[in-house]
Structures are given as structure tokens and as C-alpha cells.
């Protein structure tokens, strides 16, 4: 399995474009190209955040990929993403603008088709089909370009997790609700990744996120661009660069067990792994979670009984909450309500969120979507 690593010290087109060219050369991507190819780029645009924050895929990485495609005679290139939140023209126009994607037009088409298609999954999968956004369902060639981050629910977010953004808008919380346990949710992510089956996955780790990812963490730059055709093995590799134990990340552990991730076969091309990489800070949800240390046969019973004792719940900082309702909108269990706030500060809307513990499935979609970082994690014990 060919894995490329290119050292990129900062977000500058003159540094990123040569790194993309070297990576694509090494992976033989030019051989896949033909002039009538319909390419879809799937970035991480989880929420409206400026490109200098380690939340979304940086526009200059996307620009470099589009430039390379154009140089190889491919011009039908669409950027398609369903962010965390609504999936409609008004919502996505704002995301494109704030995340710096608008400046990539006209070389890149920003998707404005907000329909979705039902795509059959492979036989034997627990999910028989997936409802995915139309451009991805109809693409000839999918380039998955994610941001490297820690993640409150899954522990890690890279190539596999990025593909959850092909599920349209508020259908994402429904899948959380359908698969509330991490092991089932992780299996769903792997089944979705195999259904989308991107031809290429790039990890933007020039700047990356540690701590309360995927939206509330802080910067931890690795100064690297990674690329591979095999996203499962690449996620195993990238987790190692973050000094995380890949076997404690459920989706990667399952990918290994299923024979999708093959770390023994990694052939690293490009720059060497630098010395002195420091461990990424874990999200608050994961710091006390030691279930990953247990042998496989004990993990499920442990999670069932003791897991309730160590379960994490969202906790609101009322001072920060502006009552925007984004958390309630994304809560699959419908346990958040927006109510009037008494004695509110003048800058706030006069409303606040109220969380019910009963029914909460600890998916942390609410924390992910809160623009004010008003939601933290509380352990039951
Ligand atoms: S907790 Fe965050 S997302 Fe929810 S209403 Fe308050 S500010 Fe908005
Ligand atoms: S309250 Fe937050 S953590 Fe609990 S189910 Fe709703 S979105 Fe998930």
C-alpha cells in the first residue's frame, strides 16, 4: 500500500501544489484521468469556520488538487459536502463563503443540488443502503479531502469519518440514533466508506486539531499532507502520527479486523516521519475511557454494564449559550429544548438550551454544532 507524506510548513499555494504533484505522481493518479471524468471533491466543511482555524479542509489544498486536475485535462470538478446542520442553498452558501470555498470558483463548481439518492450497500452489511448526496452518488471519481482531528465520539477523525458528510443534513443525527453504540456506529462508518469507495483520500494535516474535536479543539500542526488510495490503512497510519493507539479507535480497530486496514503493507513515499512528534490531547469524552485497554471479549460486556457508570453527558455553560438552537436541531434523541432565559445579557437572544439526561445517547452532535463552545463534557462518575 503506497502512502505519501509531504512536509508542508505552511498554507501557501507555492508549497502545497508541488506537494500534491509529488504525491499524485507517486500514486499514479494521472493514469486514472480522462477528459470526460466527473470528479467530486468531498472536503470537511463541518461548520462555517474561517480557513485559518483547524476545523475545515483548507481551500488552498483543494485549489492545488483542482489545479492538478485541470493540468491533466479534467475540468468537470464539483465540490460536494453536507455539513453538520441543514443541507440547503442558504445554509451551504454561507458555509462556502466563510470556509473560503467561494474563491475557488469558477475552476471548481460548488454543489447547489441538494437532492440525495438511495445507493445499495454490499450484501451482508447491516445497512442495506445509504441515502447519499447526489453529486457523490453520481460521480465517476471521488477525492476525499479531510482534516486530521480528534473527535469527541469516535476519538479520531480522518478519511473514514469524513465520508459521514455524504449523508444529507439532518439525516446524520438519524444514523446516530439508529446506531447509538460506538461499535455499531463505527461499523456503519466502515460500511458507508466501502459504499462510497473514494478513489483517493488526502489528509490535510498541515494544521490539525487536538482536544475537543471535531469543532471545539485547538491547533496541533503536523505540517504534513498525506495521500493514499487506501483510506483505511492511511487512517491507521495518521492516528500513529498523532501518537494515538489505532487499536483504541473503534473504526480503525474494526477496519483492521475486517482486513481493510493493512498496516504491515505500508510503503512510505516522500518525506520521512519527523522525530519528536508529540501526542495529541484527547477529547474530554475519551480521557477517562479505558475500555479500549480491555481484551476484545470483555469490551462489550464492560461497555454494557460499567459503561453506563462512565458515560459522558453534555454540560451547558449558560454564560456562553446564545440560544441559537443549533444543538437542538442536530440532537438525534430530541432531548434538547430551547427556552427563555431570565435576566439575560443584552448581547444574547434571551434564550438558552436545556438538556435532558434521560434519552441522551452521548453522540456529542450538540457539542460539535455549538458555535459558542458552550457545551462541555461531564462524566456520570
Ligand atoms: S448550546 Fe450552543 S448550539 Fe445550543 S443553543 Fe446554546 S449556543 Fe446554540
Ligand atoms: S444531548 Fe447531545 S450528546 Fe445527547 S443525544 Fe443529544 S446531541 Fe447527542
Amino acid at each position: 500500500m503506497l502512502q505519501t507524506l509531504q512536509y508542508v510548513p505552511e498554507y501557501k499555494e507555492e508549497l502545497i501544489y508541488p506537494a500534491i504533484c509529488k504525491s499524485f505522481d507517486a500514486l499514479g493518479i494521472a493514469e486514472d484521468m480522462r477528459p470526460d471524468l466527473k470528479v467530486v471533491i468531498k472536503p470537511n466543511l463541518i461548520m462555517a469556520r474561517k480557513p485559518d482555524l483547524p476545523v475545515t479542509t483548507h481551500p488552498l489544498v483543494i485549489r492545488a488538487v483542482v489545479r492538478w486536475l485541470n493540468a491533466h485535462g479534467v475540468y468537470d470538478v464539483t465540490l460536494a459536502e453536507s455539513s453538520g446542520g441543514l443541507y440547503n442553498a442558504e445554509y451551504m452558501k454561507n458555509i462556502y463563503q466563510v470556509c473560503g470555498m467561494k474563491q475557488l470558483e469558477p475552476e471548481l463548481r460548488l454543489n447547489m443540488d441538494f437532492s440525495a439518492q438511495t445507493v445499495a450497500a454490499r450484501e451482508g452489511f447491516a445497512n442495506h443502503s445509504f441515502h447519499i448526496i447526489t453529486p457523490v452518488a453520481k460521480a465517476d471519481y471521488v477525492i476525499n479531502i479531510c482534516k486530521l482531528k480528534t473527535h469527541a465520539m469516535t476519538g479520531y477523525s480522518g478519511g473514514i469519518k469524513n465520508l459521514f458528510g455524504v449523508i444529507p443534513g439532518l439525516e446524520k443525527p438519524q444514523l446516530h440514533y439508529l446506531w447509538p453504540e460506538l461499535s455499531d456506529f463505527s461499523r456503519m462508518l466502515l460500511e458507508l466508506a466501502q459504499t462510497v469507495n473514494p478513489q483517493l483520500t488526502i489528509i490535510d494535516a498541515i494544521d490539525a486539531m487536538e482536544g475537543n474535536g471535531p469543532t471545539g479543539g485547538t491547533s496541533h500542526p503536523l505540517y504534513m499532507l498525506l495521500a493514499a488510495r487506501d483510506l483505511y490503512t492511511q487512517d491507521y497510519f495518521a492516528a500513529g502520527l498523532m501518537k494515538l493507539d489505532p487499536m483504541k479507535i473503534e473504526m480503525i480497530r474494526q477496519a483492521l479486523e475486517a482486513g481493510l486496514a493493512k498496516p504491515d503493507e505500508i510503503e512510505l513515499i516522500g518525506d520521512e516521519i519527523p522525530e519528536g512528534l508529540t501526542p495529541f490531547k484527547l477529547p474530554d469524552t475519551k480521557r477517562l475511557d479505558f475500555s479500549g485497554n480491555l481484551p476484545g471479549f470483555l469490551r462489550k460486556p464492560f461497555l454494557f454494564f460499567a459503561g453506563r457508570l462512565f458515560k459522558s453527558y453534555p454540560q451547558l455553560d449558560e454564560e456562553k449559550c446564545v440560544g441559537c438552537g443549533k444543538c437542538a436541531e442536530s440532537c438525534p434523541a430530541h432531548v434538547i429544548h430551547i427556552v427563555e432565559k431570565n435576566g439575560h445579557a443584552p448581547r444574547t437572544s434571551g434564550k438558552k438550551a436545556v438538556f435532558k439526561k434521560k434519552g441522551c445517547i452521548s453522540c456529542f452532535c450538540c457539542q460539535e454544532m455549538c458555535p459558542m463552545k458552550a457545551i462541555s463534557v461531564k462524566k456520570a462518575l
Side-chain angles (χ1 to χ4, degrees):
M1 175 272 185
L2 298 179
Q3 172 67 59
T4 71
L5 185 163
Q6 296 292 334
Y7 173 70
V8 182
E10 54 184 313
Y11 286 108
K12 283 197 167 160
E13 192 171 352
E14 60 270 30
L15 300 174
I16 297 172
Y17 184 62
I20 288 292
C21 291
K22 282 187 209 160
S23 303
F24 285 19
D25 277 355
L27 297 172
I29 303 299
E31 287 160 32
D32 301 350
M33 297 297 117
R34 44 169 222 268
D36 62 336
L37 204 65
K38 249 194 249 166
V39 176
V40 166
I41 292 176
K42 163 64 183 80
N44 180 338
L45 304 180
I46 185 169
M47 72 191 323
R49 281 289 178 268
K50 295 220 161 97
D52 53 349
L53 297 169
V55 179
T56 53
T57 305
H58 200 283
L60 288 180
V61 176
I62 295 169
R63 186 193 288 285
V65 172
V66 176
R67 191 173 149 192
W68 185 94
L69 289 166
N70 290 171
H72 288 76
V74 176
Y75 295 96
D76 189 345
V77 189
T78 304
L79 178 124
E81 160 76 318
S82 165
S83 305
L86 300 175
Y87 185 54
N88 60 33
E90 194 190 346
Y91 194 85
M92 289 309 300
K93 269 186 192 167
N94 181 48
I95 296 258
Y96 293 149
Q97 183 67 45
V98 177
C99 299
M101 300 297 137
K102 194 82 187 127
Q103 69 198 44
L104 304 180
E105 287 180 312
E107 287 79 10
L108 179 67
R109 185 188 305 119
L110 302 178
N111 174 48
M112 293 302 283
D113 169 0
F114 299 106
S115 62
Q117 311 286 319
T118 300
V119 176
R122 204 173 292 166
E123 213 167 299
F125 281 5
N127 299 269
H128 302 300
S129 63
F130 287 101
H131 199 219
I132 70 178
I133 58 176
T134 297
V136 172
K138 296 209 163 153
D140 298 324
Y141 201 91
V142 176
I143 304 180
N144 181 25
I145 313 184
C146 62
K147 190 82 170 166
L148 190 64
K149 301 189 240 182
T150 47
H151 192 285
M153 187 200 184
T154 57
Y156 164 92
S157 180
I160 301 168
K161 179 69 179 62
N162 193 45
L163 292 172
F164 193 45
V166 306
I167 303 294
L170 299 178
E171 291 182 35
K172 285 192 274 294
Q174 288 171 21
L175 279 172
H176 274 287
Y177 200 63
L178 185 63
W179 304 117
E181 296 295 334
L182 180 60
S183 58
D184 295 330
F185 187 77
S186 301
R187 182 192 55 199
M188 182 277 297
L189 288 176
L190 287 176
E191 293 183 355
L192 177 61
Q194 290 169 88
T195 305
V196 176
N197 198 18
Q199 279 80 357
L200 173 64
T201 295
I202 299 167
I203 299 186
D204 170 6
I206 300 173
D207 194 6
M209 181 181 281
E210 66 177 1
N212 289 328
T215 57
T218 47
S219 163
H220 188 142
L222 284 181
Y223 308 111
M224 293 175 197
L225 268 183
L226 307 176
R229 289 177 181 268
D230 168 356
L231 73 164
Y232 312 100
T233 308
Q234 177 164 250
D235 273 350
Y236 186 103
F237 176 73
L241 296 174
M242 299 162 88
K243 300 285 174 198
L244 303 177
D245 179 352
M247 294 308 282
K248 288 188 188 162
I249 297 157
E250 184 64 17
M251 72 183 124
I252 299 181
R253 192 186 65 75
Q254 287 189 22
L256 195 84
E257 269 180 17
L260 293 166
K262 303 178 187 90
D264 297 343
E265 296 177 12
I266 294 176
E267 187 186 328
L268 188 61
I269 301 177
D271 294 317
E272 286 180 5
I273 299 173
E275 285 185 7
L277 292 176
T278 51
F280 275 50
K281 274 188 214 140
L282 296 179
D284 292 340
T285 46
K286 298 285 166 191
R287 278 187 298 119
L288 289 176
D289 182 359
F290 52 86
S291 60
N293 293 332
L294 297 171
F297 72 97
L298 279 180
R299 199 174 296 122
K300 261 215 155 162
F302 171 84
L303 286 174
F304 188 76
F305 294 109
R308 267 121 195 97
L309 216 55
F310 295 104
K311 199 172 169 183
S312 308
Y313 293 97
Q315 177 165 261
L316 183 74
D317 180 338
E318 286 196 20
E319 290 292 309
K320 290 184 183 167
C321 177
V322 295
C324 66
K326 287 196 174 0
C327 53
E329 207 172 72
S330 64
C331 175
H334 305 294
V335 295
I336 308 173
H337 300 285
I338 305 298
V339 300
E340 293 297 327
K341 190 183 202 174
N342 293 327
H344 58 85
R347 74 177 183 88
T348 69
S349 68
K351 295 190 168 163
K352 67 168 183 177
V354 172
F355 292 70
K356 266 202 295 178
K357 208 163 156 186
K358 193 170 174 211
C360 171
I361 59 169
S362 302
C363 61
F364 292 97
C365 292
C366 50
Q367 191 194 39
E368 201 170 306
M369 294 317 299
C370 177
M372 306 305 294
K373 295 194 186 178
I375 300 169
S376 59
V377 174
K378 189 171 190 270
K379 288 272 174 196
L381 191 73

